[in-house]
Amino acid sequence: MSAANRPFRFAAIALAACLCMPFAAQAADIAAQTITVGQALRGHFVQERHLAGFANPLRSEGSGRLVPGTGLIWQGEKPFPNTTVLSPDGILQLANNQEAMRLPASRLPGLSHLYETLGAAVSGDIKPLQQTFAVAQQPGVRWKITLTPLHPDNPAMAQLKSLVLTGGRFVDSVDVDKGGGDIDHITFLDQHVENANLTANEKKLFAALRK
């Protein structure tokens, strides 16, 4: 696998999970709040990574901010600081405030489709997801959606067996099953919609992808 494909494979899985924070299906199926251009969703996350052969999960915590039409900033705070930025321009990863990886969209042919598909989900349109996943829904006040890749041989989906999302107003948790007993469980906390005005640091992070 090339160096470019390794981070993209990781990003495709992890960012699929976090971009689904405000996931909303059609109103007749699932009741969940959507956000629009001019708004942003902010919240905290706790991720437990269960690895086959290990008794205890690896735990990390942080926060995220999703700005429709602009991108996503996913900031790990514990056990060490790290930042992932996704926008239509590409993916940027920082470790200890130092650039660890930057890939423009031109080197990630699947990124545009991923971004557009999940962006549609944010706006409440589940249909684009059905081009990539088999979608099973359990509607209700507490709803559940299971996403299974239609084309598991696609490099972007090679380490993804299924995504299971549960929630109410927003997605409250995501289980990322990577097969072989490796499962990531992500819990979202304190989610709220706010004005989309970017901070100086957020503008800097998105601008870095346009260089």
Coordinates of all heavy atoms in Angstrom, one line a residue, residues 59-135:
R59 N -8.1 4.6 24.9 CA -9.1 5.6 25.1 C -8.5 7.0 24.7 O -7.3 7.3 25.0 CB -9.5 5.7 26.5 CG -10.6 6.8 26.8 CD -10.9 6.8 28.3 NE -11.7 7.9 28.7 CZ -13.1 7.8 28.8 NH1 -13.6 6.6 28.7 NH2 -13.8 8.9 29.2
S60 N -9.2 7.7 23.9 CA -8.8 9.1 23.6 C -10.0 10.0 23.7 O -11.2 9.6 23.6 CB -8.2 9.1 22.2 OG -9.2 8.7 21.2
E61 N -9.7 11.3 23.9 CA -10.8 12.3 24.1 C -10.4 13.5 23.3 O -9.3 13.8 23.0 CB -11.0 12.7 25.5 CG -11.4 11.5 26.4 CD -11.5 11.9 27.9 OE1 -11.9 13.1 28.1 OE2 -11.2 11.1 28.8
G62 N -11.5 14.3 22.9 CA -11.2 15.5 22.2 C -12.5 16.3 21.8 O -13.6 16.0 22.4
S63 N -12.4 17.1 20.9 CA -13.6 17.9 20.4 C -13.6 18.0 18.9 O -12.5 17.8 18.3 CB -13.6 19.3 21.1 OG -12.4 20.0 20.7
G64 N -14.7 18.4 18.4 CA -14.8 18.5 16.9 C -15.7 19.7 16.6 O -16.6 20.1 17.4
R65 N -15.5 20.3 15.4 CA -16.4 21.3 14.9 C -16.6 21.1 13.4 O -15.6 21.0 12.6 CB -15.8 22.7 15.1 CG -16.8 23.8 14.9 CD -16.2 25.2 15.1 NE -17.3 26.2 15.2 CZ -17.2 27.4 14.8 NH1 -16.1 27.9 14.3 NH2 -18.2 28.3 14.9
L66 N -17.8 20.9 13.1 CA -18.2 20.7 11.7 C -18.9 21.9 11.1 O -19.9 22.4 11.7 CB -19.2 19.5 11.6 CG -19.8 19.2 10.3 CD1 -18.7 18.8 9.3 CD2 -20.8 18.0 10.4
V67 N -18.4 22.5 10.0 CA -18.9 23.7 9.4 C -19.4 23.3 8.0 O -18.5 23.1 7.1 CB -17.9 24.8 9.3 CG1 -18.5 26.1 8.8 CG2 -17.3 25.1 10.7
P68 N -20.7 23.1 7.7 CA -21.1 22.8 6.4 C -20.6 23.7 5.3 O -20.6 25.0 5.5 CB -22.7 22.9 6.5 CG -22.9 22.6 7.9 CD -21.8 23.3 8.7
G69 N -20.2 23.2 4.2 CA -19.6 24.0 3.1 C -18.2 24.4 3.3 O -17.6 24.9 2.4
T70 N -17.6 24.2 4.5 CA -16.2 24.5 4.8 C -15.4 23.3 5.1 O -14.4 23.1 4.5 CB -16.2 25.6 5.9 OG1 -16.9 26.7 5.5 CG2 -14.7 26.0 6.2
G71 N -15.8 22.6 6.1 CA -15.1 21.4 6.5 C -15.2 21.0 8.0 O -16.1 21.5 8.7
L72 N -14.3 20.1 8.4 CA -14.4 19.5 9.7 C -13.0 19.7 10.4 O -12.0 19.5 9.7 CB -14.7 18.1 9.6 CG -14.5 17.2 10.9 CD1 -15.7 17.5 11.9 CD2 -14.4 15.8 10.6
I73 N -13.0 20.1 11.6 CA -11.8 20.1 12.5 C -12.0 19.1 13.6 O -13.0 19.3 14.4 CB -11.5 21.5 13.0 CG1 -11.2 22.4 11.8 CG2 -10.3 21.4 13.9 CD1 -10.9 23.9 12.2
W74 N -11.2 18.1 13.7 CA -11.3 17.0 14.7 C -10.0 17.1 15.6 O -8.9 16.8 15.1 CB -11.4 15.7 13.9 CG -11.6 14.4 14.7 CD1 -10.6 13.5 14.9 CD2 -12.8 13.9 15.2 NE1 -11.2 12.4 15.6 CE2 -12.5 12.7 15.8 CE3 -14.1 14.4 15.3 CZ2 -13.4 11.9 16.4 CZ3 -15.0 13.6 15.9 CH2 -14.7 12.4 16.5
Q75 N -10.2 17.5 16.8 CA -9.0 17.8 17.7 C -9.0 16.8 18.8 O -9.8 16.8 19.7 CB -9.1 19.2 18.2 CG -8.9 20.2 17.1 CD -8.9 21.7 17.7 OE1 -9.8 22.0 18.4 NE2 -7.9 22.4 17.3
G76 N -7.9 15.9 18.8 CA -7.7 15.1 20.0 C -7.0 15.8 21.1 O -6.1 16.6 20.8
E77 N -7.4 15.6 22.3 CA -6.8 16.3 23.4 C -6.1 15.4 24.4 O -5.1 15.8 25.0 CB -7.9 17.1 24.1 CG -8.5 18.2 23.2 CD -9.9 18.6 23.8 OE1 -10.3 18.2 24.8 OE2 -10.5 19.5 23.1
K78 N -6.6 14.2 24.6 CA -6.0 13.2 25.4 C -5.9 11.9 24.6 O -6.9 11.6 23.9 CB -6.8 13.0 26.7 CG -6.9 14.2 27.6 CD -7.8 13.9 28.8 CE -7.9 15.1 29.7 NZ -8.8 14.8 30.9
P79 N -4.9 11.1 24.7 CA -3.7 11.2 25.6 C -2.6 12.2 25.1 O -1.7 12.5 25.9 CB -3.1 9.8 25.7 CG -3.5 9.2 24.4 CD -4.8 9.8 24.0
F80 N -2.8 12.7 23.9 CA -1.8 13.6 23.4 C -2.5 14.5 22.3 O -3.5 14.1 21.7 CB -0.6 13.0 22.8 CG -0.9 12.0 21.7 CD1 -1.0 12.4 20.4 CD2 -1.0 10.6 22.0 CE1 -1.3 11.5 19.3 CE2 -1.3 9.7 21.0 CZ -1.5 10.2 19.7
P81 N -2.1 15.7 22.1 CA -2.8 16.6 21.2 C -2.5 16.2 19.7 O -1.4 15.9 19.3 CB -2.2 18.0 21.5 CG -0.8 17.7 22.1 CD -1.0 16.4 22.9
N82 N -3.6 16.2 19.0 CA -3.5 15.9 17.5 C -4.7 16.6 16.9 O -5.8 16.7 17.5 CB -3.4 14.5 17.2 CG -4.6 13.7 17.7 OD1 -5.5 13.5 16.9 ND2 -4.6 13.2 18.9
T83 N -4.6 16.9 15.6 CA -5.6 17.6 14.9 C -5.7 17.0 13.5 O -4.7 16.8 12.8 CB -5.4 19.1 14.8 OG1 -5.3 19.7 16.1 CG2 -6.5 19.8 14.0
T84 N -7.0 16.7 13.1 CA -7.3 16.3 11.7 C -8.2 17.3 11.1 O -9.2 17.7 11.7 CB -7.9 14.9 11.6 OG1 -6.9 14.0 12.1 CG2 -8.2 14.5 10.2
V85 N -7.9 17.8 9.9 CA -8.7 18.8 9.2 C -9.1 18.2 7.9 O -8.3 17.7 7.1 CB -8.0 20.1 9.0 CG1 -8.9 21.2 8.3 CG2 -7.5 20.7 10.3
L86 N -10.4 18.2 7.6 CA -10.9 17.7 6.3 C -11.7 18.8 5.7 O -12.6 19.5 6.3 CB -11.9 16.5 6.5 CG -12.6 16.0 5.3 CD1 -11.7 15.4 4.3 CD2 -13.7 15.0 5.7
S87 N -11.4 19.1 4.4 CA -12.2 20.1 3.6 C -12.2 19.6 2.2 O -11.5 18.6 1.8 CB -11.6 21.5 3.7 OG -10.5 21.6 2.8
P88 N -13.0 20.2 1.3 CA -12.9 19.8 -0.1 C -11.5 20.0 -0.7 O -11.3 19.4 -1.8 CB -13.9 20.8 -0.8 CG -14.8 21.2 0.3 CD -14.0 21.3 1.5
D89 N -10.6 20.7 0.0 CA -9.3 20.9 -0.6 C -8.3 19.7 -0.2 O -7.2 19.6 -0.8 CB -8.7 22.2 0.0 CG -9.5 23.4 -0.5 OD1 -9.7 23.5 -1.8 OD2 -10.0 24.2 0.3
G90 N -8.7 18.9 0.8 CA -7.8 17.8 1.2 C -7.9 17.5 2.7 O -8.9 17.8 3.4
I91 N -6.9 16.8 3.1 CA -6.8 16.4 4.5 C -5.4 16.9 5.1 O -4.4 16.7 4.5 CB -6.8 14.8 4.7 CG1 -8.2 14.3 4.2 CG2 -6.6 14.4 6.1 CD1 -8.3 12.8 4.2
L92 N -5.5 17.4 6.3 CA -4.3 17.8 7.0 C -4.3 17.2 8.4 O -5.4 17.2 9.1 CB -4.4 19.4 7.2 CG -3.3 20.0 8.1 CD1 -1.9 19.9 7.4 CD2 -3.6 21.5 8.3
Q93 N -3.2 16.7 8.9 CA -3.0 16.1 10.2 C -1.9 16.7 10.9 O -0.8 16.9 10.3 CB -2.9 14.6 10.1 CG -4.1 13.8 9.7 CD -4.0 12.3 9.7 OE1 -2.9 11.8 9.7 NE2 -5.1 11.6 9.7
L94 N -2.1 17.2 12.1 CA -1.1 17.7 13.0 C -0.9 16.9 14.2 O -1.9 16.4 14.8 CB -1.5 19.2 13.4 CG -1.9 20.2 12.3 CD1 -2.3 21.5 13.0 CD2 -0.7 20.4 11.4
A95 N 0.4 16.7 14.7 CA 0.7 16.0 15.9 C 1.6 16.9 16.7 O 2.6 17.4 16.3 CB 1.4 14.7 15.6
N96 N 1.1 17.2 18.0 CA 1.8 18.2 18.8 C 2.1 19.5 18.1 O 3.2 20.1 18.2 CB 3.2 17.6 19.3 CG 2.9 16.4 20.2 OD1 2.1 16.4 21.1 ND2 3.7 15.3 20.0
N97 N 1.1 19.9 17.4 CA 1.1 21.2 16.7 C 2.1 21.3 15.5 O 2.3 22.4 15.0 CB 1.3 22.4 17.7 CG 0.3 22.5 18.7 OD1 -0.9 22.4 18.4 ND2 0.6 22.7 20.0
Q98 N 2.6 20.1 15.1 CA 3.5 20.1 14.0 C 2.8 19.3 12.9 O 2.2 18.3 13.1 CB 4.8 19.4 14.4 CG 5.6 20.1 15.5 CD 6.0 21.5 15.0 OE1 6.5 21.7 13.9 NE2 5.9 22.5 15.9
E99 N 3.0 19.8 11.6 CA 2.3 19.1 10.5 C 2.9 17.7 10.3 O 4.1 17.5 10.2 CB 2.5 19.9 9.2 CG 1.8 19.3 8.0 CD 1.9 20.2 6.8 OE1 1.6 21.4 6.9 OE2 2.2 19.7 5.7
A100 N 2.0 16.7 10.4 CA 2.4 15.3 10.2 C 2.1 14.8 8.8 O 2.8 13.9 8.3 CB 1.8 14.4 11.3
M101 N 1.1 15.3 8.2 CA 0.6 14.8 6.9 C -0.3 15.8 6.3 O -1.2 16.4 7.0 CB -0.1 13.5 7.1 CG -0.5 12.8 5.7 SD -2.1 13.3 5.2 CE -3.2 12.5 6.3
R102 N -0.1 16.1 5.0 CA -1.0 16.9 4.3 C -1.2 16.3 2.9 O -0.2 16.0 2.2 CB -0.5 18.3 4.1 CG -1.5 19.2 3.4 CD -1.0 20.5 2.9 NE 0.2 21.1 3.6 CZ 0.6 22.3 3.5 NH1 -0.1 23.2 2.7 NH2 1.6 22.7 4.2
L103 N -2.4 16.1 2.5 CA -2.7 15.5 1.2 C -3.8 16.3 0.5 O -4.9 16.5 1.0 CB -3.2 14.1 1.3 CG -2.2 13.0 1.8 CD1 -2.9 11.7 2.0 CD2 -1.1 12.9 0.7
P104 N -3.4 16.9 -0.7 CA -4.4 17.7 -1.4 C -5.5 16.8 -2.0 O -5.2 15.6 -2.2 CB -3.6 18.4 -2.5 CG -2.4 17.5 -2.7 CD -2.1 16.9 -1.3
A105 N -6.6 17.3 -2.3 CA -7.7 16.5 -2.9 C -7.3 15.9 -4.2 O -7.8 14.8 -4.6 CB -8.9 17.4 -3.1
S106 N -6.4 16.5 -4.9 CA -5.9 16.0 -6.2 C -5.2 14.6 -6.1 O -5.2 13.8 -7.0 CB -5.0 17.0 -6.9 OG -3.8 17.2 -6.1
R107 N -4.7 14.3 -4.9 CA -4.1 13.0 -4.6 C -5.0 12.0 -4.0 O -4.6 10.9 -3.7 CB -2.8 13.3 -3.7 CG -1.7 14.0 -4.4 CD -0.5 14.2 -3.5 NE 0.0 12.9 -3.0 CZ 0.9 12.8 -2.0 NH1 1.4 13.9 -1.5 NH2 1.3 11.6 -1.6
L108 N -6.2 12.5 -3.7 CA -7.2 11.6 -3.0 C -8.5 11.6 -3.9 O -9.4 12.3 -3.6 CB -7.5 12.1 -1.6 CG -6.3 12.2 -0.7 CD1 -6.8 12.9 0.6 CD2 -5.8 10.8 -0.3
P109 N -8.5 10.8 -4.9 CA -9.6 10.8 -5.8 C -11.0 10.4 -5.2 O -12.0 10.8 -5.7 CB -9.3 9.7 -6.9 CG -8.2 8.9 -6.3 CD -7.4 9.8 -5.4
G110 N -10.9 9.7 -4.1 CA -12.2 9.3 -3.4 C -12.6 10.4 -2.4 O -13.8 10.3 -1.9
L111 N -11.8 11.4 -2.1 CA -12.2 12.4 -1.1 C -13.4 13.2 -1.4 O -14.3 13.4 -0.6 CB -11.0 13.3 -0.8 CG -11.2 14.4 0.3 CD1 -11.5 13.8 1.6 CD2 -10.1 15.3 0.3
S112 N -13.4 13.7 -2.7 CA -14.5 14.5 -3.1 C -15.9 13.8 -3.0 O -16.8 14.3 -2.5 CB -14.3 14.9 -4.6 OG -15.4 15.7 -5.0
H113 N -15.9 12.5 -3.3 CA -17.1 11.7 -3.2 C -17.5 11.5 -1.7 O -18.7 11.7 -1.4 CB -17.0 10.3 -3.9 CG -18.1 9.4 -3.7 ND1 -19.4 9.7 -4.2 CD2 -18.3 8.3 -2.9 CE1 -20.2 8.7 -3.9 NE2 -19.6 7.9 -3.1
L114 N -16.5 11.2 -0.9 CA -16.8 11.1 0.5 C -17.3 12.3 1.1 O -18.3 12.3 1.8 CB -15.5 10.7 1.3 CG -15.5 10.6 2.8 CD1 -16.4 9.4 3.2 CD2 -14.1 10.5 3.4
Y115 N -16.7 13.5 0.8 CA -17.1 14.7 1.4 C -18.5 15.1 0.9 O -19.4 15.5 1.7 CB -16.1 15.8 0.9 CG -16.4 17.1 1.7 CD1 -15.8 17.4 2.9 CD2 -17.2 18.1 1.1 CE1 -16.0 18.6 3.6 CE2 -17.4 19.3 1.8 CZ -16.8 19.5 3.0 OH -17.0 20.7 3.7
E116 N -18.8 14.9 -0.4 CA -20.1 15.2 -0.9 C -21.2 14.3 -0.3 O -22.3 14.8 0.0 CB -20.1 15.1 -2.4 CG -19.3 16.2 -3.1 CD -19.2 16.0 -4.6 OE1 -19.8 15.0 -5.1 OE2 -18.5 16.8 -5.3
T117 N -20.9 13.0 -0.2 CA -21.9 12.1 0.3 C -22.2 12.4 1.8 O -23.4 12.4 2.1 CB -21.3 10.6 0.2 OG1 -21.1 10.3 -1.1 CG2 -22.2 9.6 0.8
L118 N -21.2 12.6 2.6 CA -21.5 12.9 4.0 C -22.0 14.3 4.2 O -22.8 14.5 5.1 CB -20.2 12.7 4.8 CG -19.7 11.2 4.8 CD1 -18.4 11.1 5.4 CD2 -20.7 10.3 5.5
G119 N -21.7 15.2 3.3 CA -22.3 16.5 3.4 C -23.8 16.4 3.1 O -24.6 17.1 3.7
A120 N -24.2 15.6 2.2 CA -25.6 15.4 1.9 C -26.3 14.8 3.1 O -27.4 15.2 3.5 CB -25.8 14.5 0.7
A121 N -25.6 13.9 3.8 CA -26.2 13.3 5.0 C -26.5 14.4 6.1 O -27.5 14.4 6.8 CB -25.3 12.2 5.6
V122 N -25.5 15.3 6.2 CA -25.6 16.4 7.2 C -26.9 17.2 6.9 O -27.6 17.7 7.8 CB -24.4 17.3 7.2 CG1 -24.6 18.5 8.0 CG2 -23.2 16.5 7.8
S123 N -27.2 17.4 5.6 CA -28.3 18.2 5.2 C -29.6 17.5 5.3 O -30.7 18.0 5.0 CB -28.1 18.8 3.8 OG -28.1 17.7 2.9
G124 N -29.6 16.2 5.6 CA -30.8 15.4 5.8 C -31.1 14.5 4.6 O -32.2 13.9 4.6
D125 N -30.2 14.3 3.7 CA -30.5 13.5 2.5 C -29.7 12.2 2.6 O -28.5 12.1 2.5 CB -30.1 14.3 1.3 CG -30.4 13.5 0.0 OD1 -31.0 12.4 0.1 OD2 -30.1 14.0 -1.1
I126 N -30.4 11.1 2.8 CA -29.8 9.8 3.0 C -29.5 9.1 1.7 O -28.7 8.2 1.6 CB -30.7 8.9 3.9 CG1 -29.8 7.8 4.5 CG2 -31.8 8.3 3.2 CD1 -30.5 6.9 5.5
K127 N -30.1 9.5 0.6 CA -30.0 8.8 -0.6 C -28.5 8.7 -1.1 O -28.2 7.6 -1.6 CB -30.9 9.5 -1.7 CG -32.4 9.3 -1.4 CD -33.2 10.0 -2.5 CE -34.7 9.8 -2.3 NZ -35.5 10.5 -3.3
P128 N -27.7 9.7 -1.1 CA -26.3 9.5 -1.6 C -25.6 8.4 -0.8 O -24.7 7.8 -1.4 CB -25.7 10.9 -1.3 CG -26.8 11.9 -1.4 CD -27.9 11.1 -0.7
L129 N -25.9 8.2 0.5 CA -25.2 7.2 1.2 C -25.5 5.8 0.6 O -24.7 4.9 0.7 CB -25.6 7.2 2.7 CG -25.1 8.3 3.5 CD1 -25.7 8.3 4.9 CD2 -23.6 8.1 3.6
Q130 N -26.7 5.7 0.0 CA -27.1 4.4 -0.5 C -26.3 4.0 -1.8 O -26.4 2.9 -2.2 CB -28.6 4.4 -0.8 CG -29.4 4.5 0.4 CD -30.9 4.8 0.2 OE1 -31.3 5.3 -0.9 NE2 -31.8 4.4 1.1
Q131 N -25.5 4.9 -2.3 CA -24.7 4.6 -3.4 C -23.4 3.9 -3.0 O -22.7 3.3 -3.7 CB -24.3 5.9 -4.2 CG -25.5 6.6 -4.8 CD -25.1 7.9 -5.4 OE1 -24.0 8.1 -5.8 NE2 -26.1 8.8 -5.6
T132 N -23.1 4.1 -1.7 CA -21.8 3.6 -1.1 C -22.1 2.5 -0.1 O -21.3 1.5 0.0 CB -21.0 4.7 -0.4 OG1 -20.8 5.8 -1.4 CG2 -19.7 4.2 0.1
F133 N -23.2 2.6 0.6 CA -23.5 1.6 1.7 C -24.9 1.0 1.5 O -25.8 1.6 1.0 CB -23.5 2.4 3.1 CG -22.2 3.0 3.4 CD1 -22.0 4.4 3.2 CD2 -21.2 2.3 4.0 CE1 -20.8 5.0 3.6 CE2 -20.0 2.9 4.4 CZ -19.8 4.2 4.2
A134 N -25.0 -0.2 2.0 CA -26.3 -0.8 2.3 C -26.8 -0.2 3.6 O -26.1 -0.2 4.6 CB -26.2 -2.3 2.4
V135 N -28.0 0.4 3.6 CA -28.5 1.2 4.8 C -29.6 0.4 5.4 O -30.6 0.2 4.8 CB -28.9 2.6 4.3 CG1 -29.4 3.4 5.6 CG2 -27.8 3.3 3.6

